[in-house]
Amino acid sequence: RRRAANSREYAALAAETKPLSLPLYSPESFASADAIHDTIEQLKRPVDIDRAYYAKQQEDDADFRDKMSRVDPEYLKAWGGPTGDDLAQAATWQLEQQWFSSTTALYDYAAAHQREIAIQNGKLSFATTAAQTGFTQRQEYSKTLYAKWQERFQGLSREKQQERTRMVIPSDVPTPR
């Protein structure tokens, strides 16, 4: 029940989240210290929502295991440890955190090198090769992590959807209140 309540709360918070005012990785998002700061601050909200949701789910799992260890330790033993789904969710969450850290590092780098980065004809230009190399490496790493995270997240979503379609739930069962 608590997991379901956490999921409903998460969905409500996620629905309230506004898109970034400047597209992530766009030249405009690196145009000034204010743009850089605003981009990261706006990105923090959905990441913080994910972080809080994951922490609540982990806490609820730990509470369940603690209570069951006292009530019916044999059932808990039979139930086993973390499932493949639990491990996949943990890996996905960890990948999101790595992506966010790399994205923050990219924007921090851009902020520290503002004098060497400019926008010309709608594209970023760099005063030095070192600034361009440092920026490009960080951006490529961040984008690669983002792609991996999204691929893993989409895979989890597909698996959950397939699980739901395999479940047979009678239509006359009232919903809990």
Side-chain angles (χ1 to χ4, degrees):
R1 287 185 217 185
R2 290 194 314 188
R3 284 183 80 97
N6 291 344
S7 293
R8 285 190 300 275
E9 179 185 349
Y10 173 77
L13 288 171
E16 293 173 6
T17 301
K18 295 179 174 90
L20 299 176
S21 58
L22 297 171
L24 194 62
Y25 307 121
S26 68
E28 297 79 18
S29 70
F30 297 104
S32 69
D34 287 341
I36 290 168
H37 174 77
D38 290 350
T39 299
I40 291 300
E41 286 303 309
Q42 291 171 22
L43 191 57
K44 277 184 185 178
R45 176 160 167 72
V47 171
D48 286 346
I49 290 170
D50 286 353
R51 186 177 289 140
Y53 172 71
Y54 183 75
K56 281 182 182 181
Q57 296 295 70
Q58 296 303 302
E59 184 180 315
D60 289 348
D61 285 350
D63 286 350
F64 170 77
R65 289 179 186 281
D66 181 53
K67 287 175 185 173
M68 283 305 293
S69 69
R70 285 182 266 130
V71 173
D72 191 349
E74 291 306 312
Y75 172 78
L76 188 59
K77 249 188 232 177
W79 197 51
T83 65
D85 187 47
D86 293 335
L87 297 173
Q89 285 179 349
T92 303
W93 181 82
Q94 194 168 29
L95 197 51
E96 179 186 16
Q97 298 310 302
Q98 290 172 340
W99 163 74
F100 180 68
S101 292
S102 73
T103 303
T104 301
L106 167 66
Y107 279 82
D108 287 346
Y109 181 86
H113 293 83
Q114 276 288 285
R115 293 181 183 187
E116 299 169 78
I117 301 172
I119 298 177
Q120 291 180 338
N121 301 322
K123 294 185 178 187
L124 292 176
S125 66
F126 300 87
T128 66
T129 304
Q132 183 175 9
T133 300
F135 180 90
T136 302
Q137 287 174 344
R138 285 167 179 79
Q139 185 177 43
E140 286 175 4
Y141 181 64
S142 178
K143 285 181 173 184
T144 298
L145 285 174
Y146 181 80
K148 286 179 182 178
W149 168 48
Q150 287 300 297
E151 182 180 318
R152 187 169 286 179
F153 181 78
Q154 295 303 322
L156 276 177
S157 297
R158 276 191 303 277
E159 288 172 18
K160 284 185 183 287
Q161 187 61 37
Q162 288 169 351
E163 254 179 47
R164 286 186 198 111
T165 59
R166 287 192 298 266
M167 292 178 166
V168 179
I169 300 174
S171 59
D172 60 347
V173 176
T175 57
R177 297 192 191 268

